[in-house]
Amino acid sequence: MPTILVVDDEPTIRLLVRAALEGTGYRLVEASDGFSALQMARSEHPDLILLDIALPRLSGLEVCRRLKEDPATVATPVLFLTGFAQQAERRAADAAGGQGFIAKPFSPAALVRQIADTLRSRATLASR
Amino acid sequence: MLLRMAAQERALRRGALRIFAETEEGALLRVALDVVSSLLRVDVVALYLPADGSGGPSCRAVWRQGSSRLLPPNETPVDLLAADVLRRRAPRLCGPWSPAGGAQCVSALAVPLEFQGTALGVLIVGRRTPDPFRDDHISLVCAAGQQLALALLRLRAAERLRTELVSMACHEIRTPLSALQGFTELMLSRDVPPSDQRDWLNLMHQEAVRLATLVEEMLDMTRVESGTVRLNVALVQVCEVAARVVRLLDGDGRRVHLVIERAPTVLADGDKLAQVVTNLLRNALDYSPPERAVEVEVARRCLGTEGGEAGTDAAHDCRPAVSVAVRDEGIGMMPEELGRAFQPFFRAGASRELLPEGSGLGLAIAKAIVERHRGRLWAHSQPGQGSTFGFCLPAQAPPPAEGAA
């Protein structure tokens, strides 16, 4: 059962993601700030991370950079899920090592699809 | 000669005022061309700016024969004279020179658009007749280039601030919108148990209220900042305003201690002042544990006692003033948080879950109101020890009563 780490400081958004993924069979773990996101990424070994950018203590961009520097987490795909969705922020998210970008407000169905696609392409890569 | 130089200096000062009045880059460049062409006799004035801050400078604005034209970035090739002057950051006189898409000039003068070490581009003036540029021409065009550079820097800084504010506002709006769009979509696409439905509707309602408050407060802030809201000014007893706010926010009168000294009156909009006290007091109540007291002190002070930067004239301003200080024993703020406390949308605290409801605009609104009243808002804070937020307004004695001796 794939594990997904949801990082957002808004409890409402975490609840929404949980509701959107209900019945999909993923295991969900949550973090509400940058540092606990890094800790959870190491302790919970998630298969995918949904990451907000505007996080307390450590920004999502910095969290992503650190994940990509750490051999233990470098392969974990990161999808940014953020309200900062202008061109410059998309570029910054790419540069930080994000695999995808979902702008808030988002469609729960589209979110589920993008998560499934990302996990599938990672599985294909791993099986080669 | 001296007379002519004095006239040129006056023209430059007048021109600088016109340049600084512009709030859009294209319009600013157009006015700059016009100003430079009126400073000395030239046939061509051209401005070269690097596109996106990198790459060689290409022509962005050109004036010839009384008419000016703006060009999009990179429409013309990089000008070699402009590139050289931008690299060496020194004025250069040049023999024949051809402006972008124009007839050749016999002589040209190119100066960097430079202010305090930042070079933004190049200004080139050219003549089709063989009379060369003299030393006083060079210093005049250099001075114009410096003014233009400063105006451009200011305009770009203001632009960045505006973009940042819009970006922050969009972010603040997108989050509650996510809840509204997401939960409605889920409810429309599948059968949701009634208990979940109720929870989600409650959340959506909360987020809709948050959006409405946000819109209201953003309008409030911009209205006060831009000066479009008129202050309803009268002589106001600050202690009365403070007492009224305390009664409203501390219903049972248990948490807030009101310490009032006989303070002079101020000339102010009483409702707006009440809003400032409300915003400060609400923060103090929200950011400290419910069992801890909050103190509101109204006192008579020198205008410079608080909030003036140490060592500046403002700190020694001894005109009588009324100060309001709101002191809490709450979580306090780190120095870097304190520095950003008055920025729109900034919120102190580790995580939003620990945060009280609010838009992050309360202090920005308070600051805008206090500054419209020519007062100062200030803050002290120590992590773990609590914060004090306060403001000072200049005192205004009531006019002497009629018939008084």
Side-chain angles (χ1 to χ4, degrees), chain A residues 20-26 28 112:
Chain A
L21 294 179
E22 204 183 272
T24 51
Y26 302 130
L28 247 64
V112 172

Side-chain angles (χ1 to χ4, degrees), chain A residues 9-16 19-20 22 32 52 54 56-57 83-86 89 103-109, chain B residues 163 166-168 170-171 174-175 177-179 181-183 185-186 190 196 200 203 206-207 210 349-353:
Chain A
D9 59 333
E10 293 275 352
T12 312
I13 298 293
R14 297 203 302 272
L15 191 81
L16 176 59
E22 204 183 272
S32 62
D52 187 16
R57 306 215 285 168
F84 286 109
Q86 288 163 29
E89 284 129 8
K104 291 177 191 168
F106 58 95
S107 149
Chain B
T163 314
V166 170
S167 167
M168 288 301 292
C170 286
H171 175 257
R174 282 164 183 273
T175 300
L177 268 184
S178 298
Q181 181 184 338
F183 286 120
E185 196 183 302
L186 287 177
R190 60 163 98 132
D196 276 357
W200 294 0
L203 276 175
Q206 257 175 42
E207 297 297 326
R210 187 169 136 194
S351 162
R352 187 153 291 217
E353 273 158 290

Side-chain angles (χ1 to χ4, degrees), chain B residues 244-295:
Chain B
R244 201 170 71 225
V245 173
V246 169
R247 267 199 306 279
L248 264 170
L249 265 64
D250 187 35
D252 55 8
R254 283 200 196 149
R255 247 187 108 182
V256 181
H257 293 247
L258 191 57
V259 181
I260 294 180
E261 193 179 279
R262 237 183 86 84
T265 47
V266 298
L267 203 54
D269 182 321
D271 291 341
K272 291 272 174 294
L273 218 54
Q275 195 184 346
V276 175
V277 181
T278 304
N279 291 4
L280 299 188
L281 183 54
R282 189 162 282 152
N283 274 354
L285 292 169
D286 286 350
Y287 280 96
S288 58
E291 69 279 6
R292 290 300 178 90
V294 170
E295 183 187 274

Side-chain angles (χ1 to χ4, degrees), chain B residues 203-401:
Chain B
L203 276 175
M204 286 162 61
H205 181 253
Q206 257 175 42
E207 297 297 326
V209 170
R210 187 169 136 194
L211 263 183
T213 316
L214 181 67
V215 169
E216 204 48 54
E217 294 197 342
M218 275 169 55
L219 281 176
D220 251 15
M221 187 180 68
T222 46
R223 274 193 296 242
V224 178
E225 272 182 349
S226 67
T228 45
V229 65
R230 278 197 42 191
L231 295 183
N232 213 344
V233 184
L235 279 177
V236 175
Q237 279 287 355
V238 181
C239 16
E240 282 171 16
V241 174
R244 201 170 71 225
V245 173
V246 169
R247 267 199 306 279
L248 264 170
L249 265 64
D250 187 35
D252 55 8
R254 283 200 196 149
R255 247 187 108 182
V256 181
H257 293 247
L258 191 57
V259 181
I260 294 180
E261 193 179 279
R262 237 183 86 84
T265 47
V266 298
L267 203 54
D269 182 321
D271 291 341
K272 291 272 174 294
L273 218 54
Q275 195 184 346
V276 175
V277 181
T278 304
N279 291 4
L280 299 188
L281 183 54
R282 189 162 282 152
N283 274 354
L285 292 169
D286 286 350
Y287 280 96
S288 58
E291 69 279 6
R292 290 300 178 90
V294 170
E295 183 187 274
V296 177
E297 182 200 53
V298 182
R300 139 192 245 136
R301 290 266 189 283
C302 281
L303 197 54
T305 314
E306 292 283 6
E309 265 175 69
T312 63
D313 288 345
H316 300 290
D317 192 338
C318 255
R319 281 174 294 167
V322 181
S323 110
V324 177
V326 181
R327 215 162 281 132
D328 68 56
E329 298 173 355
I331 53 176
M333 280 188 286
M334 312 284 280
E336 63 271 20
E337 290 180 311
L338 190 59
R340 297 171 58 202
F342 299 126
Q343 276 175 18
F345 300 117
F346 175 76
R347 305 198 65 189
S351 162
R352 187 153 291 217
E353 273 158 290
L354 305 173
L355 284 181
E357 285 298 307
S359 60
L361 288 176
L363 284 177
I365 293 173
K367 183 170 186 273
I369 295 176
V370 169
E371 284 174 359
R372 275 283 307 272
H373 284 87
R374 281 184 287 234
R376 259 198 305 273
L377 191 67
W378 49 266
H380 301 301
S381 190
Q382 286 275 318
Q385 315 228 322
S387 309
T388 305
F389 281 86
F391 63 93
C392 259
L393 295 182
Q396 173 79 48

